[in-house]
Amino acid sequence: MYILKTETVNTKKSKITFDNGIECICFRSEIRKFGLLEGEEITEDAYDELMSDYIGKRAKRKAMDLLIRSDKTEKELRDKLKKECYPDETIGETIDYLHSYHYINEDNHLETYIRYHGKGKSRIYLKQELKKKGFDSEKIGEYLDEYHDEREELRQVVKKKMTGVGELTKEKRDKICMQLYRKGFSVSDIRKEMDSYEVY
């Protein structure tokens, strides 16, 4: 196996491209140890050692660090590791490792997210956010049914928006209704909540 290309990232590391199409970031010490120079050959044993004992271990540490900072879905972890140029195979092995120790618990993450980040948000808005994070659509629906009361969230948002409004004119009312509609709340629910406030 040969090194096709080396690109300096900064004074401490470079991106290495192998002739099997794999790219990864290596530190200067690893470049020296394995002789990772453009056009040079690397044995299969050395390549396996690099990927397992250096790149692989670093990917696991990075993933653990991300999880310590905040809950992450599998998709978010994959995206973060991919962005840092970890090979797909290394990312897959890292995710398998995290699952084997139950470090990724998407059910708990989903419940926690809805409970603490669903305040003042419509079901539609939350669904979009959670899909972007990589949660399963069917599971999102189940957890929203159990942990998210859209009418209560709308009630709290309306109450907050009405605080300090003073005299509620038709123009003000229409503006608030449009803001709520853009957040994904239904027109009928908005009208029901707004009907309890008198328009002058």
Side-chain angles (χ1 to χ4, degrees):
M1 187 180 297
Y2 290 88
I3 291 91
L4 288 181
K5 192 177 182 182
T6 62
E7 297 174 76
T8 300
V9 174
N10 56 37
T11 55
K12 294 182 178 179
K13 51 192 178 182
S14 296
K15 183 166 82 168
I16 310 297
T17 303
F18 297 94
D19 65 356
N20 62 357
I22 297 295
E23 295 179 339
C24 62
I25 302 296
C26 292
F27 285 89
R28 288 283 176 259
S29 57
E30 296 158 3
I31 292 169
R32 286 194 299 271
K33 177 179 172 64
F34 293 98
L36 303 176
L37 302 173
E38 198 167 301
E40 292 295 317
E41 187 176 6
I42 181 172
T43 66
E44 289 294 332
D45 287 345
Y47 176 81
D48 290 343
E49 182 185 350
L50 171 67
M51 288 298 164
S52 175
D53 295 349
Y54 293 85
I55 307 301
K57 286 182 179 178
R58 190 154 63 243
K60 290 182 179 72
R61 286 197 300 271
K62 178 63 180 179
M64 290 296 294
D65 183 53
L66 289 167
L67 287 171
I68 288 168
R69 292 179 189 179
S70 64
D71 285 336
K72 293 280 186 295
T73 63
E74 180 179 318
K75 180 181 182 300
E76 288 173 321
L77 288 170
R78 285 184 181 276
D79 289 347
K80 290 276 188 182
L81 292 173
K82 187 71 176 174
K83 190 176 180 181
E84 298 207 11
C85 203
Y86 286 100
D88 289 340
E89 186 176 348
T90 300
I91 294 171
E93 290 170 356
T94 301
I95 296 299
D96 289 343
Y97 169 82
L98 296 172
H99 275 301
S100 72
Y101 286 96
H102 307 289
Y103 291 140
I104 302 175
N105 189 328
E106 297 202 344
D107 287 347
N108 282 351
H109 186 183
L110 184 52
E111 178 185 340
T112 301
Y113 192 92
I114 291 170
R115 284 183 181 276
Y116 294 99
H117 298 281
K119 303 297 182 186
K121 295 178 181 176
S122 69
R123 186 183 177 96
I124 290 173
Y125 189 89
L126 271 175
K127 260 189 172 181
Q128 291 171 342
E129 281 189 342
L130 293 166
K131 280 182 180 178
K132 286 177 186 175
K133 286 179 166 289
F135 288 110
D136 175 72
S137 294
E138 189 174 334
K139 190 166 281 189
I140 291 171
E142 291 172 5
Y143 275 72
L144 285 173
D145 288 342
E146 187 168 355
Y147 299 110
H148 186 70
D149 184 343
E150 184 166 270
R151 283 299 300 275
E152 181 56 30
E153 295 304 330
L154 175 59
R155 192 170 293 117
Q156 293 302 319
V157 174
V158 170
K159 186 177 178 182
K160 186 176 180 181
K161 285 187 174 292
M162 294 306 295
T163 303
V165 165
E167 188 177 277
L168 182 63
T169 63
K170 184 179 182 304
E171 289 73 20
K172 287 181 182 177
R173 174 193 156 102
D174 289 347
K175 184 178 179 181
I176 291 171
C177 287
M178 282 306 298
Q179 288 172 346
L180 295 170
Y181 178 70
R182 283 194 291 268
K183 285 181 175 287
F185 292 106
S186 74
V187 173
S188 59
D189 286 346
I190 294 168
R191 282 175 180 163
K192 286 173 186 174
E193 291 303 323
M194 293 300 293
D195 280 348
S196 60
Y197 294 90
E198 189 175 352
V199 179
Y200 293 91

